[in-house]
Tab-separated table of all heavy atoms in Angstrom:
chain	number	residue	atom	x	y	z
A	1	TYR	N	-15.554	-9.457	-8.091
A	1	TYR	CA	-14.620	-8.895	-8.948
A	1	TYR	C	-13.173	-9.534	-8.578
A	1	TYR	O	-12.857	-9.513	-7.381
A	1	TYR	CB	-14.407	-7.368	-8.849
A	1	TYR	CG	-15.609	-6.677	-9.538
A	1	TYR	CD1	-16.683	-6.336	-8.775
A	1	TYR	CD2	-15.495	-6.376	-10.774
A	1	TYR	CE1	-17.750	-5.686	-9.341
A	1	TYR	CE2	-16.609	-5.618	-11.481
A	1	TYR	CZ	-17.657	-5.259	-10.761
A	1	TYR	OH	-18.712	-4.637	-11.271
A	2	LEU	N	-12.564	-10.113	-9.533
A	2	LEU	CA	-11.287	-10.878	-9.209
A	2	LEU	C	-10.179	-9.810	-9.226
A	2	LEU	O	-9.973	-9.066	-10.253
A	2	LEU	CB	-11.085	-11.848	-10.333
A	2	LEU	CG	-9.956	-12.900	-10.054
A	2	LEU	CD1	-10.318	-13.713	-8.820
A	2	LEU	CD2	-9.604	-13.745	-11.353
A	3	VAL	N	-9.488	-9.813	-8.185
A	3	VAL	CA	-8.308	-8.772	-8.120
A	3	VAL	C	-7.077	-9.803	-7.690
A	3	VAL	O	-7.063	-10.786	-7.144
A	3	VAL	CB	-8.448	-7.784	-7.082
A	3	VAL	CG1	-9.644	-6.910	-7.451
A	3	VAL	CG2	-8.690	-8.387	-5.648
A	4	LYS	N	-5.934	-9.145	-8.065
A	4	LYS	CA	-4.651	-9.876	-7.737
A	4	LYS	C	-3.939	-9.249	-6.554
A	4	LYS	O	-4.039	-7.933	-6.435
A	4	LYS	CB	-3.762	-9.797	-8.885
A	4	LYS	CG	-2.564	-10.776	-8.891
A	4	LYS	CD	-1.953	-11.015	-10.282
A	4	LYS	CE	-1.621	-9.772	-11.067
A	4	LYS	NZ	-0.804	-10.021	-12.263
A	5	ARG	N	-3.443	-9.986	-5.596
A	5	ARG	CA	-2.866	-9.413	-4.466
A	5	ARG	C	-1.294	-9.601	-4.537
A	5	ARG	O	-0.786	-10.614	-5.131
A	5	ARG	CB	-3.304	-10.166	-3.154
A	5	ARG	CG	-4.803	-10.186	-2.901
A	5	ARG	CD	-5.336	-8.695	-2.690
A	5	ARG	NE	-4.648	-8.021	-1.591
A	5	ARG	CZ	-5.008	-8.206	-0.345
A	5	ARG	NH1	-5.990	-9.013	-0.014
A	5	ARG	NH2	-4.269	-7.575	0.554
A	6	GLY	N	-0.606	-8.603	-4.027
A	6	GLY	CA	0.833	-8.540	-3.924
A	6	GLY	C	1.433	-7.300	-4.246
A	6	GLY	O	0.831	-6.243	-4.209
A	7	LYS	N	2.604	-7.181	-4.671
A	7	LYS	CA	3.469	-5.928	-4.882
A	7	LYS	C	3.493	-5.597	-6.367
A	7	LYS	O	4.027	-4.463	-6.607
A	7	LYS	CB	4.849	-6.107	-4.333
A	7	LYS	CG	5.661	-7.120	-4.934
A	7	LYS	CD	7.069	-7.319	-4.282
A	7	LYS	CE	7.865	-8.423	-4.870
A	7	LYS	NZ	9.229	-8.576	-4.243
A	8	GLU	N	2.972	-6.463	-7.280
A	8	GLU	CA	3.150	-6.177	-8.716
A	8	GLU	C	2.188	-5.029	-9.046
A	8	GLU	O	1.206	-4.819	-8.441
A	8	GLU	CB	2.775	-7.394	-9.524
A	8	GLU	CG	3.587	-8.615	-9.199
A	8	GLU	CD	2.938	-9.891	-9.880
A	8	GLU	OE1	2.262	-9.705	-10.895
A	8	GLU	OE2	3.294	-11.006	-9.367
A	9	PRO	N	2.608	-4.235	-10.112
A	9	PRO	CA	1.638	-3.197	-10.685
A	9	PRO	C	0.282	-3.918	-11.043
A	9	PRO	O	0.217	-5.026	-11.647
A	9	PRO	CB	2.414	-2.765	-11.912
A	9	PRO	CG	3.851	-3.098	-11.628
A	9	PRO	CD	3.817	-4.314	-10.894
A	10	GLY	N	-0.680	-3.160	-10.700
A	10	GLY	CA	-2.081	-3.593	-11.156
A	10	GLY	C	-2.750	-4.375	-9.984
A	10	GLY	O	-3.914	-4.665	-10.019
A	11	THR	N	-1.967	-4.786	-8.945
A	11	THR	CA	-2.588	-5.518	-7.787
A	11	THR	C	-3.338	-4.509	-7.015
A	11	THR	O	-3.153	-3.349	-7.070
A	11	THR	CB	-1.435	-6.167	-6.938
A	11	THR	OG1	-0.653	-5.166	-6.397
A	11	THR	CG2	-0.689	-7.185	-7.710
A	12	LEU	N	-4.255	-5.064	-6.091
A	12	LEU	CA	-5.091	-4.119	-5.333
A	12	LEU	C	-4.102	-3.422	-4.371
A	12	LEU	O	-4.269	-2.259	-4.168
A	12	LEU	CB	-5.968	-5.104	-4.474
A	12	LEU	CG	-6.861	-4.353	-3.421
A	12	LEU	CD1	-7.809	-3.513	-4.172
A	12	LEU	CD2	-7.551	-5.245	-2.498
A	13	ASP	N	-3.126	-4.129	-3.819
A	13	ASP	CA	-2.273	-3.470	-2.845
A	13	ASP	C	-1.383	-2.357	-3.494
A	13	ASP	O	-1.310	-1.171	-2.834
A	13	ASP	CB	-1.322	-4.610	-2.232
A	13	ASP	CG	-2.134	-5.813	-1.693
A	13	ASP	OD1	-2.523	-5.756	-0.569
A	13	ASP	OD2	-2.293	-6.693	-2.582
A	14	ALA	N	-0.791	-2.659	-4.569
A	14	ALA	CA	0.142	-1.670	-5.214
A	14	ALA	C	-0.681	-0.476	-5.664
A	14	ALA	O	-0.312	0.763	-5.603
A	14	ALA	CB	0.900	-2.319	-6.324
A	15	SER	N	-1.913	-0.695	-6.155
A	15	SER	CA	-2.741	0.424	-6.768
A	15	SER	C	-3.237	1.211	-5.653
A	15	SER	O	-3.297	2.550	-5.798
A	15	SER	CB	-3.964	-0.216	-7.483
A	15	SER	OG	-3.504	-0.919	-8.601
A	16	LEU	N	-3.656	0.702	-4.506
A	16	LEU	CA	-4.124	1.543	-3.466
A	16	LEU	C	-2.921	2.416	-2.759
A	16	LEU	O	-3.146	3.540	-2.448
A	16	LEU	CB	-4.698	0.725	-2.337
A	16	LEU	CG	-6.063	0.016	-2.631
A	16	LEU	CD1	-6.474	-0.884	-1.566
A	16	LEU	CD2	-7.147	1.037	-2.944
A	17	ALA	N	-1.878	1.820	-2.764
A	17	ALA	CA	-0.528	2.404	-2.225
A	17	ALA	C	-0.307	3.699	-3.205
A	17	ALA	O	-0.031	4.786	-2.681
A	17	ALA	CB	0.675	1.615	-2.105
A	18	GLU	N	-0.253	3.369	-4.521
A	18	GLU	CA	0.063	4.459	-5.492
A	18	GLU	C	-1.014	5.549	-5.342
A	18	GLU	O	-0.584	6.857	-5.362
A	18	GLU	CB	0.064	3.853	-6.825
A	18	GLU	CG	0.490	4.872	-7.937
A	18	GLU	CD	-0.585	5.787	-8.416
A	18	GLU	OE1	-1.815	5.499	-8.372
A	18	GLU	OE2	-0.263	6.928	-8.813
A	19	GLN	N	-2.242	5.259	-5.217
A	19	GLN	CA	-3.287	6.180	-4.991
A	19	GLN	C	-3.160	7.029	-3.813
A	19	GLN	O	-3.295	8.368	-3.894
A	19	GLN	CB	-4.753	5.500	-5.071
A	19	GLN	CG	-5.818	6.401	-5.285
A	19	GLN	CD	-7.172	5.562	-5.290
A	19	GLN	OE1	-8.223	6.068	-4.897
A	19	GLN	NE2	-7.064	4.521	-5.844
A	20	ALA	N	-2.891	6.445	-2.665
A	20	ALA	CA	-2.670	7.112	-1.441
A	20	ALA	C	-1.483	8.120	-1.405
A	20	ALA	O	-1.647	9.249	-1.049
A	20	ALA	CB	-2.409	6.252	-0.305
A	21	VAL	N	-0.393	7.745	-1.955
A	21	VAL	CA	0.817	8.537	-2.168
A	21	VAL	C	0.559	9.657	-3.142
A	21	VAL	O	0.992	10.781	-2.812
A	21	VAL	CB	1.971	7.695	-2.674
A	21	VAL	CG1	3.162	8.630	-2.951
A	21	VAL	CG2	2.441	6.721	-1.544
A	22	ARG	N	-0.145	9.403	-4.207
A	22	ARG	CA	-0.457	10.448	-5.178
A	22	ARG	C	-1.387	11.616	-4.604
A	22	ARG	O	-1.232	12.695	-4.853
A	22	ARG	CB	-1.234	9.815	-6.385
A	22	ARG	CG	-1.690	10.866	-7.370
A	22	ARG	CD	-2.104	10.218	-8.699
A	22	ARG	NE	-2.898	9.111	-8.420
A	22	ARG	CZ	-4.327	9.094	-8.396
A	22	ARG	NH1	-4.848	10.277	-8.231
A	22	ARG	NH2	-4.981	8.102	-8.166
A	23	LEU	N	-2.166	11.189	-3.505
A	23	LEU	CA	-3.047	12.207	-2.918
A	23	LEU	C	-2.374	12.839	-1.758
A	23	LEU	O	-2.887	13.799	-1.217
A	23	LEU	CB	-4.177	11.508	-2.294
A	23	LEU	CG	-5.291	10.955	-3.417
A	23	LEU	CD1	-6.233	10.033	-2.883
A	23	LEU	CD2	-6.004	12.139	-4.019
A	24	GLY	N	-1.022	12.548	-1.447
A	24	GLY	CA	-0.249	13.210	-0.568
A	24	GLY	C	-0.071	12.382	0.807
A	24	GLY	O	0.593	12.984	1.628
A	25	ALA	N	-0.485	11.170	0.841
A	25	ALA	CA	-0.177	10.380	2.023
A	25	ALA	C	1.276	10.052	2.078
A	25	ALA	O	1.870	9.811	1.035
A	25	ALA	CB	-1.004	9.127	2.182
A	26	GLU	N	1.767	9.866	3.387
A	26	GLU	CA	3.309	9.436	3.456
A	26	GLU	C	3.226	7.966	3.690
A	26	GLU	O	2.739	7.554	4.708
A	26	GLU	CB	3.827	10.191	4.504
A	26	GLU	CG	5.449	9.892	4.746
A	26	GLU	CD	6.020	10.828	5.801
A	26	GLU	OE1	5.374	11.709	6.326
A	26	GLU	OE2	7.159	10.406	6.269
A	27	LEU	N	3.995	7.181	2.920
A	27	LEU	CA	4.245	5.756	3.234
A	27	LEU	C	5.504	5.407	3.719
A	27	LEU	O	6.534	5.609	2.903
A	27	LEU	CB	3.800	5.031	1.845
A	27	LEU	CG	3.936	3.485	1.873
A	27	LEU	CD1	2.923	2.934	3.009
A	27	LEU	CD2	3.605	2.840	0.581
A	28	ARG	N	5.652	4.971	4.924
A	28	ARG	CA	7.013	4.540	5.466
A	28	ARG	C	7.086	3.106	5.536
A	28	ARG	O	6.478	2.417	6.349
A	28	ARG	CB	7.116	5.240	6.869
A	28	ARG	CG	7.020	6.716	6.936
A	28	ARG	CD	7.051	7.277	8.346
A	28	ARG	NE	7.023	8.784	8.411
A	28	ARG	CZ	7.107	9.391	9.484
A	28	ARG	NH1	7.264	8.734	10.709
A	28	ARG	NH2	6.911	10.734	9.474
A	29	LEU	N	7.969	2.617	4.659
A	29	LEU	CA	8.145	1.120	4.571
A	29	LEU	C	9.303	0.706	5.534
A	29	LEU	O	10.042	1.602	5.887
A	29	LEU	CB	8.587	0.764	3.096
A	29	LEU	CG	7.471	1.082	2.140
A	29	LEU	CD1	7.989	0.682	0.724
A	29	LEU	CD2	6.167	0.342	2.376
A	30	SER	N	9.337	-0.587	5.861
A	30	SER	CA	10.346	-1.111	6.845
A	30	SER	C	10.253	-0.311	8.110
A	30	SER	O	11.284	0.017	8.773
A	30	SER	CB	11.780	-1.108	6.189
A	30	SER	OG	11.809	-1.840	5.104
A	31	ASP	N	9.084	0.121	8.439
A	31	ASP	CA	8.944	0.952	9.745
A	31	ASP	C	7.942	0.344	10.702
A	31	ASP	O	6.827	0.570	10.536
A	31	ASP	CB	8.448	2.358	9.211
A	31	ASP	CG	8.319	3.332	10.392
A	31	ASP	OD1	9.144	3.088	11.468
A	31	ASP	OD2	7.681	4.297	10.325
A	32	ARG	N	8.398	-0.523	11.490
A	32	ARG	CA	7.614	-1.175	12.440
A	32	ARG	C	7.356	-0.440	13.744
A	32	ARG	O	8.391	-0.047	14.361
A	32	ARG	CB	8.120	-2.540	12.798
A	32	ARG	CG	7.289	-3.386	13.739
A	32	ARG	CD	8.041	-4.872	13.865
A	32	ARG	NE	7.284	-5.689	14.685
A	32	ARG	CZ	7.572	-7.017	14.885
A	32	ARG	NH1	8.651	-7.478	14.391
A	32	ARG	NH2	6.703	-7.713	15.586
A	33	VAL	N	6.154	-0.122	14.043
A	33	VAL	CA	5.836	0.689	15.120
A	33	VAL	C	5.313	-0.173	16.331
A	33	VAL	O	4.483	-0.990	16.020
A	33	VAL	CB	4.796	1.895	14.897
A	33	VAL	CG1	5.546	2.983	13.960
A	33	VAL	CG2	3.607	1.407	14.254
A	34	ARG	N	5.706	0.030	17.506
A	34	ARG	CA	5.286	-0.707	18.649
A	34	ARG	C	4.165	0.032	19.357
A	34	ARG	O	3.381	-0.535	20.174
A	34	ARG	CB	6.398	-0.879	19.618
A	34	ARG	CG	7.546	-1.919	19.134
A	34	ARG	CD	7.095	-3.274	19.200
A	34	ARG	NE	8.164	-4.189	18.710
A	34	ARG	CZ	8.017	-5.556	18.761
A	34	ARG	NH1	6.772	-6.068	19.021
A	34	ARG	NH2	9.014	-6.337	18.378
A	35	THR	N	4.019	1.312	19.156
A	35	THR	CA	3.071	2.059	19.908
A	35	THR	C	2.752	3.378	19.097
A	35	THR	O	3.511	3.859	18.296
A	35	THR	CB	3.648	2.615	21.269
A	35	THR	OG1	2.694	3.198	21.972
A	35	THR	CG2	4.913	3.390	21.136
A	36	LEU	N	1.432	3.788	19.198
A	36	LEU	CA	1.062	4.932	18.639
A	36	LEU	C	0.585	5.877	19.721
A	36	LEU	O	-0.584	5.865	20.234
A	36	LEU	CB	-0.209	4.705	17.645
A	36	LEU	CG	0.042	3.866	16.455
A	36	LEU	CD1	-1.271	3.578	15.676
A	36	LEU	CD2	1.020	4.621	15.515
């Protein structure tokens, strides 16, 4: 299955992010962590 990668709508990346957020996951951008 051919998919497009990147930040545009319809890409695998953007679609998975939208799905995760819609389900209640928290997405913190520009947030580089050095340790968990």
